[in-house]
Amino acid sequence: MLKRVDYDLTQHAGYAKGRALLPLSRANWLRAFREHAGTGPVRTVLDVGSGTGRFTPVLADGFAADVTGVEPSERMREIAQAEAAHPDVTYLPGSAAELPVPDASADLALMFLVWHHVPDKAAAAAELARALRPGARLLIATTLSDRLKDLLIYRYFPRTKEIDTALFPSRAETAELFAEVGFDEAALVEVHHRSSDTLAEYAERQRMRALSVYEHLTDEEYEEGMAALEADAAAETEPTPVEAECDLLVLARR
Ligand SMILES: C[S@@+](CC[C@H](N)C(=O)[O-])C[C@H]1O[C@@H](n2cnc3c(N)ncnc32)[C@H](O)[C@@H]1O
């Protein structure tokens, strides 16, 4: 059993910098969100597990909508309020299982790299069903255990692949859980995500240890991987972008 990651302890510190979105990735994700937002106007959006607000203002601008960022970690919320403020965004305390919004009030919800952190997934699915109006879409950007990608992190930190397999539910498990509370799977698409323009930049970001999976590694495992990565980064002659096709599961509220 893997321990829960508490973003109030360490992860908040390097998150905004270590996980900053490159313009290319921001554009690719927004395009996918817009393509899969369903029919009908999108005026009210929930960013569930909004963290430091990486996507929250992007949603407000991209949909010209009011966005509520719901985030349980006080430290992550404080950073969002300070660094990702937007006139149409409100950051509120809460969690996927306790959304501080009325019934059927949201036209769209995003959960970006949040689902694996949610302890009571059945309660969260039911709560999301309560908050979204009929016909609304729920966009879940997540790793799925039966669709692991060939990520660079697995090469330098091999045990992270094992951890991801244990941590993430499969596509079928996720779709079934949501089907029980009133969602149909509308699509599963891949979004091209570039996390760094060069290996050197990637190494610098990994040095911030701002990935929750690193909390499950020993310091020795982490340092061993970093040494190999930093050696390769130092030997980089041509810029090597670090990219992956990431899954976006699209669920439609019945
Ligand atoms: C990897 S971060 C993603 C943050 C943001 N969505 C992003 O993409 O930058 C995961 C976030 O989920 C939050 N989180 C953890 N448990 C949660 C829950 N039960 N409901 C909602 N958010 C949760 C964490 O506090 C953290 O801010």
Side-chain angles (χ1 to χ4, degrees):
M1 180 77 176
L2 294 162
K3 67 170 184 181
R4 273 197 69 199
V5 173
D6 182 347
Y7 278 75
D8 275 332
L9 295 179
T10 51
Q11 281 293 316
H12 65 276
Y15 194 91
K17 199 158 175 235
R19 304 291 290 275
L21 273 181
L22 295 180
L24 171 77
S25 299
R26 184 185 302 116
N28 288 352
W29 283 107
L30 182 59
R31 190 178 316 115
F33 300 159
R34 290 170 63 102
E35 273 172 24
H36 295 282
T39 50
V42 175
R43 297 201 183 95
T44 310
V45 180
L46 286 175
D47 185 8
V48 179
S50 45
T52 56
R54 262 198 325 171
F55 283 99
T56 333
V58 175
L59 292 166
D61 288 334
F63 288 96
D66 289 324
V67 185
T68 304
V70 180
E71 170 54 49
S73 156
E74 203 177 328
R75 310 295 288 275
M76 294 291 270
R77 239 177 24 249
E78 278 167 8
I79 296 168
Q81 268 147 358
E83 296 178 13
H86 185 288
D88 299 328
V89 166
T90 311
Y91 294 105
L92 295 177
S95 72
E98 274 180 282
L99 296 169
V101 298
D103 294 357
S105 59
D107 300 312
L108 182 72
L110 172 68
M111 293 187 89
F112 200 100
L113 303 186
V114 170
W115 188 235
H116 58 297
H117 290 296
V118 173
D120 186 345
K121 291 188 171 48
E127 177 66 345
L128 285 154
R130 179 192 71 74
L132 286 164
R133 64 152 168 84
R137 294 283 168 95
L138 168 59
L139 307 174
I140 304 185
T142 186
T143 298
L144 296 163
S145 60
D146 51 334
R147 290 172 54 89
L148 291 193
K149 314 294 175 177
D150 180 23
L151 301 182
L152 195 61
I153 190 176
Y154 298 152
R155 209 173 308 159
Y156 290 103
F157 308 91
R159 210 162 59 79
T160 58
K161 189 167 187 178
E162 222 177 277
I163 293 166
D164 279 1
T165 309
L167 197 62
F168 289 96
S170 68
R171 172 190 186 167
E173 282 165 347
T174 309
E176 272 164 32
L177 182 75
F178 278 100
E180 280 172 26
V181 296
F183 288 91
D184 294 318
E185 185 179 318
L188 175 61
V189 293
E190 289 188 327
V191 179
H192 185 75
H193 179 85
R194 178 182 288 196
S195 64
S196 305
D197 287 324
T198 64
L199 195 59
E201 183 195 332
Y202 179 75
E204 237 175 80
R205 285 174 181 253
Q206 304 320 300
R207 206 13 110 191
M208 292 176 213
R209 215 169 167 165
L211 278 183
S212 60
V213 70
Y214 290 143
E215 295 210 5
H216 304 297
L217 298 184
T218 64
D219 287 347
E220 289 74 28
E221 282 173 313
Y222 171 72
E223 288 304 337
E224 199 181 313
M226 282 308 303
L229 171 57
E230 284 168 344
D232 287 351
E236 184 181 34
T237 48
E238 293 289 315
T240 313
V242 180
E243 304 177 304
E245 304 306 317
C246 299
D247 282 340
L248 180 68
L249 181 63
V250 182
L251 301 166
R253 181 76 178 96
R254 272 177 228 136

